Amino acid sequence: MADDSPASEPTAPASTSAPAAAPAAPGAGWRPSTVAVTAGRPPHAPDQPLNPPITMASTYRAGGDVEYGRYGNPTWTAFEEALGALEGGRALTFGSGMAAATTLLDLVGQGGTVIAPRHAYQGSLVALGDAELRGRLRSTLVDVTDTAAVIAAMEKDEDTAILWLESPTNPALEIADIETLASAAHELGIRVVVDNTFATPLLQRPLDLGADIVLHSATKYLSGHSDVQLGALVTADEEVYAALKSRRDLAGNLAGPFETWLALRGLRTLHLRLERAQANAAELARRLADHPAVTEVRYPGFGAVVAPVLVDADRADLMVRSTRLWVHATSLGGVESMLERRRRWKTESPTIPEGLVRMSVGIEDVEDLWDDLSQALDRVAF
Ligand SMILES: *Cc1c(COP(=O)(O)O)cnc(C)c1O
């Protein structure tokens, strides 16, 4: 990791990298659903609002911990407390998942190597490739399901700074053995990042499995209503936290207070949305496997993304154009069910099948979802 000393003036006062003011702590030992509902509230005092207001402020009266809008915001702090409590670390909010991802890449020292999944989120891979092209760093792409091969890649390259994991991967839905890989990485002095967007902290807590940093596109499940662009990083390592905070202060890749407020409002129902979406996904994965138009169903057994593979691109294109309830759109994690053929994107990995359709299962009635899917699939089963 690069040093975190400020590169230029003006910059944050020293006090801003200190821990935020003590939160209105959720009860010790409360379970995740209770934490999702209660964390990040203002102090429990008469006439305080129950939930944080949207604080629109570019500056604050001098002498406190925040001072200026780029260094902190009470609405960010509320969301950060809630996400931090769910992931078991301290969170930082960013303007998008990609703002969080590129902030992480900024911490790789000049010429360092990032090992990443060949089927990670395309934006992350494009950002890695772009940084490599500019001579900033090097990247090695691996099959994250092959634990021995990932460890061998780390051992082979002593310049490796970060092992970048995503599990399940987007859109291949592969699973990495985070615990084994993190312990191998640490023996080699390598930091481990896990993009936890698909699993959310309710299904997987990477910091508990040994990861150093968790990345979220809060645009997806955490916000949950397809109306917010937001990102976050979470770590339990104070040194890493200070380095990330310093990058955010300097790069200014900030979240809007309104977006952050919407995300916290969405987070309050994450457990309910996920429970319903997961149940729908499991049932649809079962039914899809029996449909003659489907050659394979990718489904990791948890989460709410399912990826049926159709024979070819034409049939998959016809299917996604034939739904009425399912929305043909990119993105995922909203209350509404959506689908798209991933290879329609030129940047998608060529090892993703042409006929793979990524389905983000929402919280509608599963019978309506199936009726719509099966009529679309019947059209292509020729
Ligand atoms: C969408 C996504 C991102 C990028 O997040 P944005 O909020 O769109 O910038 C990163 N990782 C994964 C796994 C994603 O699905």
Side-chain angles (χ1 to χ4, degrees), residues 101-158:
T102 52
T103 297
L104 272 178
L105 295 182
D106 277 352
L107 293 195
V108 178
Q110 183 64 32
T113 300
V114 177
I115 296 178
R118 63 183 174 142
H119 293 150
Y121 174 66
Q122 281 310 289
S124 305
L125 293 182
V126 171
L128 258 182
D130 174 67
E132 188 160 23
L133 215 59
R134 288 182 287 113
R136 261 284 296 123
L137 47 76
R138 284 178 301 141
S139 69
T140 302
L141 301 185
V142 292
D143 172 358
V144 287
T145 64
D146 188 343
T147 305
V150 180
I151 294 173
M154 290 193 285
E155 284 169 344
K156 207 173 109 192
D157 186 345
E158 62 185 23

Side-chain angles (χ1 to χ4, degrees), residues 96-98 121 124 166 170 195 197-198 217 219-220 229-230 332:
S96 67
M98 284 308 297
Y121 174 66
S124 305
E166 194 178 288
N170 177 4
D195 184 332
T197 299
F198 271 42
S217 170
T219 307
K220 315 292 172 52
Q229 201 92 50
L230 200 79
L332 56 107

Side-chain angles (χ1 to χ4, degrees), residues 177-194:
D177 181 348
I178 296 171
E179 201 162 12
T180 303
L181 290 173
S183 91
H186 289 160
E187 275 175 32
L188 298 164
I190 297 168
R191 302 251 204 217
V192 180
V193 175
V194 176

Side-chain angles (χ1 to χ4, degrees), residues 104-315:
L104 272 178
L105 295 182
D106 277 352
L107 293 195
V108 178
Q110 183 64 32
T113 300
V114 177
I115 296 178
R118 63 183 174 142
H119 293 150
Y121 174 66
Q122 281 310 289
S124 305
L125 293 182
V126 171
L128 258 182
D130 174 67
E132 188 160 23
L133 215 59
R134 288 182 287 113
R136 261 284 296 123
L137 47 76
R138 284 178 301 141
S139 69
T140 302
L141 301 185
V142 292
D143 172 358
V144 287
T145 64
D146 188 343
T147 305
V150 180
I151 294 173
M154 290 193 285
E155 284 169 344
K156 207 173 109 192
D157 186 345
E158 62 185 23
D159 293 329
T160 304
I162 286 184
L163 172 63
W164 187 291
L165 297 174
E166 194 178 288
S167 188
T169 54
N170 177 4
L173 300 172
E174 298 147 329
I175 302 295
D177 181 348
I178 296 171
E179 201 162 12
T180 303
L181 290 173
S183 91
H186 289 160
E187 275 175 32
L188 298 164
I190 297 168
R191 302 251 204 217
V192 180
V193 175
V194 176
D195 184 332
N196 204 29
T197 299
F198 271 42
T200 85
L202 298 187
L203 303 180
Q204 171 171 278
R205 299 219 317 170
L207 300 180
D208 290 350
L209 299 171
D212 300 288
I213 304 169
V214 174
L215 166 70
H216 275 288
S217 170
T219 307
K220 315 292 172 52
Y221 288 101
L222 301 184
S223 298
H225 296 74
S226 306
D227 52 9
V228 167
Q229 201 92 50
L230 200 79
L233 296 172
V234 193
T235 181
D237 181 322
E238 283 302 315
E239 211 178 298
V240 173
Y241 176 89
L244 294 170
K245 169 80 167 68
S246 166
R247 284 309 307 162
R248 186 177 72 177
D249 289 350
L250 292 171
N253 37 13
L254 311 173
F258 183 48
E259 282 77 359
T260 313
W261 182 86
L262 278 172
L264 181 58
R265 188 185 168 105
L267 191 67
R268 299 293 190 219
T269 56
L270 175 64
H271 48 295
L272 289 178
R273 289 184 283 107
L274 206 57
E275 195 178 300
R276 174 63 169 267
Q278 276 208 105
N280 284 353
E283 182 56 30
L284 294 177
R286 254 193 305 279
R287 296 187 191 184
L288 282 166
D290 291 335
H291 198 283
V294 176
T295 57
E296 180 195 349
V297 179
R298 305 242 177 134
Y299 171 59
F302 67 98
V305 179
V306 179
V309 181
L310 276 64
V311 178
D312 55 28
D314 287 346
R315 275 171 246 223

